[in-house]
Amino acid sequence: MSKKTYSRITTKTLQELKKQGEKIAMLTAYDFTLAGLVDQAGVDVILVGDSASNVMAGHETTLPITLDQMIYHASSVVRGVKRALVVVDLPFGAYQADSKEALRSAIRIMKESGAHAVKLEGGFEVKESIERILKAGIPVMGHLGLTPQSIYKFGTYTVRAKENQEAEQLLFDVKMLESLGCFGIVLEKIPAQLAEKAANSVEIPIIGIGAGKHVDGQVLVLHDMLGMSKEFSPRFLRRYADLHSIIHSAVANYSSDVKTHDFPNANEQY
Ligand code: KIV
């Protein structure tokens, strides 16, 4: 049977893809040009991740990025995308205080950027916020396992939920997020067996990053998978290009051409 093609990905499409056993491809993007490229290449979901704090702004963690900055990135991405579902991270500080603030932040993202859904980190502790956002008609994606906004609580970026108690809590939270009405969940850096169990326990898609292959889809940070930097090398990261070397040599060649009077030549002027 030939695969169904979709001209526009919605939250419903993602549920269908899971039912049909077709894996979901998700990547981050933060600007118009790269979002357009990612979309044209057929990725199903584009995440305007708060990893923009790291790869776009150079911060050590995801904590400093603001709601205004996320909205700026998200609206640039939305202008470049025709097919993919655009999901935007609620940044640290925009939803933890109380559920009303969470809803206000989610509304700002949807209204000011034109994105299609929001994602937020956490399980039981953000239940009320998720309920309130969903009640307003805004699709919500969950994020469990390693949740980088809590890095100072964890103290390390190592694999989460290796112990029974944390694994049980994660499975409980996965079920809870589904019953609240979340359309999908990102599971970050947890044992592959646990991620598989989680994916088999719910009907909504589970998207993994460092969570093995037996989930419903995968997500990576675009800059990491394109090899823009040589420094970040976790085991789960597969590099599909070495843009660091390509960009470095292109820029070095340009600089050298300018300095040696080679650029511009007679054909490159008016
Ligand atoms: O911010 C981000 O890029 C993310 C992904 C790592 C899932 O949340």
Side-chain angles (χ1 to χ4, degrees):
M1 207 175 69
S2 67
K3 265 202 291 180
K4 191 171 165 191
T5 55
Y6 297 93
S7 56
R8 186 95 232 192
I9 304 292
T10 66
T11 55
K12 288 276 166 296
T13 319
L14 300 182
Q15 321 260 333
E16 278 181 34
L17 291 178
K18 170 158 181 158
K19 251 198 206 130
Q20 293 158 10
E22 182 176 335
K23 299 282 187 187
I24 295 163
M26 172 163 159
L27 276 177
T28 67
Y30 318 97
D31 68 275
F32 169 81
T33 306
L34 286 179
L37 265 170
V38 168
D39 188 47
Q40 286 156 34
V43 156
D44 302 306
V45 185
I46 296 184
L47 171 67
V48 185
D50 59 358
S51 49
S53 180
N54 309 110
V55 298
M56 300 301 289
H59 294 296
E60 203 178 310
T61 71
T62 57
L63 276 69
I65 198 159
T66 65
L67 183 59
D68 283 336
Q69 288 164 340
M70 288 302 296
I71 290 169
Y72 166 77
H73 287 296
S75 52
S76 308
V77 165
V78 166
R79 285 191 287 273
V81 171
K82 291 194 169 69
R83 176 181 175 272
L85 183 83
V86 178
V87 182
V88 182
D89 265 338
L90 276 167
F92 178 69
Y95 63 99
Q96 288 88 350
D98 64 60
S99 62
K100 285 190 180 157
E101 193 190 12
L103 175 59
R104 272 194 295 274
S105 301
I107 287 176
R108 278 201 61 202
I109 287 177
M110 301 297 284
K111 222 176 166 66
E112 296 176 39
S113 76
H116 311 129
V118 298
K119 170 164 89 58
L120 54 87
E121 297 182 4
F124 192 71
E125 65 281 13
V126 287
K127 180 172 180 275
E128 222 182 288
S129 296
I130 292 176
E131 280 169 334
R132 204 178 269 273
I133 297 170
L134 285 167
K135 245 190 228 157
I138 300 172
V140 176
M141 182 169 224
H143 184 155
L144 299 168
L146 177 66
T147 47
Q149 291 178 12
S150 304
I151 187 57
Y152 291 117
K153 183 174 103 186
F154 298 147
T156 150
Y157 284 102
T158 53
V159 181
R160 302 301 311 173
K162 279 164 88 175
E163 307 301 331
N164 270 347
Q165 200 186 343
E166 198 181 334
E168 287 306 319
Q169 181 64 47
L170 184 134
L171 291 172
F172 173 86
D173 282 340
V174 163
K175 284 278 214 191
M176 187 207 66
L177 291 179
E178 177 182 51
S179 70
L180 290 180
C182 288
F183 70 88
I185 303 170
V186 167
L187 290 184
E188 181 164 353
K189 233 174 166 186
I190 62 165
Q193 263 191 345
L194 176 62
E196 179 177 8
K197 204 166 164 189
N200 289 335
S201 75
V202 288
E203 281 173 21
I204 57 172
I206 298 293
I207 311 294
I209 172 164
K213 67 192 295 186
H214 299 294
V215 286
D216 307 303
Q218 299 292 329
V219 57
L220 285 175
V221 169
L222 183 66
H223 290 54
D224 298 339
M225 62 83 79
L226 291 177
M228 296 279 269
S229 142
K230 300 229 183 247
E231 282 123 47
F232 184 63
S233 266
R235 187 201 295 193
F236 67 76
L237 174 62
R238 185 181 292 182
R239 286 200 174 86
Y240 285 84
D242 180 7
L243 286 199
H244 183 277
S245 304
I246 291 172
I247 294 172
H248 186 279
S249 78
V251 173
N253 288 341
Y254 162 76
S255 180
S256 153
D257 287 354
V258 170
K259 287 180 187 302
T260 58
H261 304 224
D262 181 76
F263 176 80
N265 64 26
N267 296 324
E268 292 164 329
Q269 66 186 16
Y270 299 97

